[in-house]
Amino acid sequence: MGRIRFLHLLLCSVFLGVLLKATWAEDRLISPSKLKMFVDELQDMPRVFSYEVVNGVTKSKPLTIGMYRKKWKFHRDLPPSRVYAYGTSKHTATVPGPTIEALHGVDTYVKWKNHLPSKHILPWDPTIPTAVPANKKGIPTVVHLHGSIGEPQSDGHAGSWFTRGFKERGPTWTQRRYHYYNAQQPGNLWYHDHAMGLTRVNLLAGLIGAYIIRDPKVEKPLRLPAGPEFDRTLVVFDRSFRVDGSIYMNSTGNNPSIHPQWQPEYFGDAI
Ligand SMILES: *[C@@H]1O[C@H](CO)[C@@H](O)[C@H](O)[C@H]1NC(C)=O
């Protein structure tokens, strides 16, 4: 009898062990020690100019920037990762997105377009207030220009989200084209997704980019090395990856009985 019970216990624990191992395998993360440092060339993101000079006059040049799902290689030894990327086309879309070059005192106009498919590449948390399209299809996005002093309707309010082709729109959505004044001090800003409840997963998926306001009147007297060869934008971010290259987002909450998925912070193990 005793032996049978022991055997039973043994079998149960083996079974449990296999189960645990299976869930662990699903989240098999790549150890950052496997990713050798300084083996990839530093990427220079495409620059898009929101102004042009016509017959000696500087004027706004309206931009259209889309959000696309594509594959992106983050490291020589990582398989390509599925990402969401900003770009003027799917082919040229990058993570981080193109650097927007603006000029102090010249308005920037951007039509932000959502080309994302219906299902998210990352787990999102349905237990917190979140933008959810009525037909449950599409990925809500809205762009916030971080650090910009501007009009509220172009500020990327969390409720002003929209899905692919503006099919569904959040409660505070007002316009397709955003207007940035660039009337503030020159400097480096960044743009990123800001949709209600989805900001962290949309950023994690790749929806970030740099925005530079230049002012030659301020910069020229400094006599710093200038031009694309010297003046390069660095965007630093952390991510965790599975061995198959996919971006890892922990979908087990740290307080599972209340919010099964809620994680208050994200720390990736590779930069
Ligand atoms: C995911 O989060 C849970 C809860 O905080 C934690 O117990 C678990 O270790 C995390 N998993 C990974 C792979 O980091």
Side-chain angles (χ1 to χ4, degrees):
M1 247 340 233
R3 233 176 101 187
I4 288 177
R5 197 168 292 159
F6 173 73
L7 205 71
H8 183 76
L9 204 73
L10 188 78
L11 280 178
C12 273
S13 49
V14 166
F15 179 66
L16 200 73
V18 168
L19 245 180
L20 281 177
K21 206 160 164 215
T23 25
W24 175 245
E26 260 170 46
D27 282 345
R28 252 175 60 217
L29 305 186
I30 195 150
S31 161
S33 64
K34 294 257 159 60
L35 302 174
K36 202 163 186 299
M37 289 195 277
F38 312 121
V39 290
D40 293 296
E41 198 176 324
L42 187 62
Q43 302 222 16
D44 208 6
M45 295 308 150
R47 293 162 199 251
V48 294
F49 290 80
S50 67
Y51 61 90
E52 60 187 340
V53 181
V54 181
N55 301 325
V57 181
T58 307
K59 47 181 235 167
S60 306
K61 184 181 168 203
L63 299 174
T64 299
I65 299 179
M67 303 154 217
Y68 300 93
R69 186 176 81 164
K70 66 186 284 181
K71 291 232 171 148
W72 188 254
K73 202 137 162 74
F74 284 100
H75 185 277
R76 182 191 70 181
D77 301 329
L78 263 180
S81 314
R82 234 180 233 306
V83 294
Y84 295 157
Y86 288 116
T88 49
S89 68
K90 182 167 182 172
H91 179 68
T92 58
T94 51
V95 178
T99 299
I100 300 174
E101 293 266 358
L103 212 53
H104 175 85
V106 181
D107 304 64
T108 294
Y109 297 94
V110 187
K111 212 178 262 173
W112 297 104
K113 284 188 153 179
N114 181 331
H115 298 285
L116 299 172
S118 61
K119 280 194 71 182
H120 215 294
I121 54 169
L122 291 171
W124 54 275
D125 189 348
T127 65
I128 55 168
T130 297
V132 181
N135 66 3
K136 300 267 194 301
K137 288 211 181 92
I139 295 156
T141 62
V142 60
V143 181
H144 174 63
L145 177 55
H146 197 108
S148 162
I149 302 172
E151 57 179 30
Q153 61 271 34
S154 295
D155 200 35
H157 186 285
S160 303
W161 53 267
F162 50 93
T163 58
R164 186 189 185 113
F166 298 99
K167 207 158 182 199
E168 294 217 29
R169 302 155 193 190
T172 59
W173 185 91
T174 52
Q175 59 195 28
R176 286 169 190 246
R177 191 169 81 155
Y178 272 21
H179 178 187
Y180 307 109
Y181 298 126
N182 305 316
Q184 65 200 79
Q185 282 184 329
N188 297 345
L189 281 60
W190 65 300
Y191 59 94
H192 64 83
D193 191 70
H194 205 223
M196 178 67 93
L198 296 172
T199 300
R200 68 197 180 294
V201 280
N202 287 351
L203 261 72
L204 198 55
L207 295 178
I208 47 177
Y211 183 108
I212 302 180
I213 303 177
R214 295 189 191 276
D215 187 349
K217 279 196 303 301
V218 174
E219 286 180 67
K220 278 240 170 80
L222 301 175
R223 301 169 62 121
L224 294 169
E229 195 189 338
F230 299 104
D231 198 355
R232 296 188 50 176
T233 307
L234 284 182
V235 178
V236 178
F237 51 81
D238 56 330
R239 299 282 182 277
S240 291
F241 298 95
R242 292 193 193 82
V243 287
D244 66 359
S246 58
I247 296 172
Y248 174 70
M249 167 88 195
N250 194 339
S251 57
T252 306
N254 65 343
N255 197 353
S257 60
I258 299 167
H259 288 300
Q261 265 186 243
W262 175 246
Q263 294 272 350
E265 290 169 313
Y266 182 93
F267 295 105
D269 47 26
I271 286 184

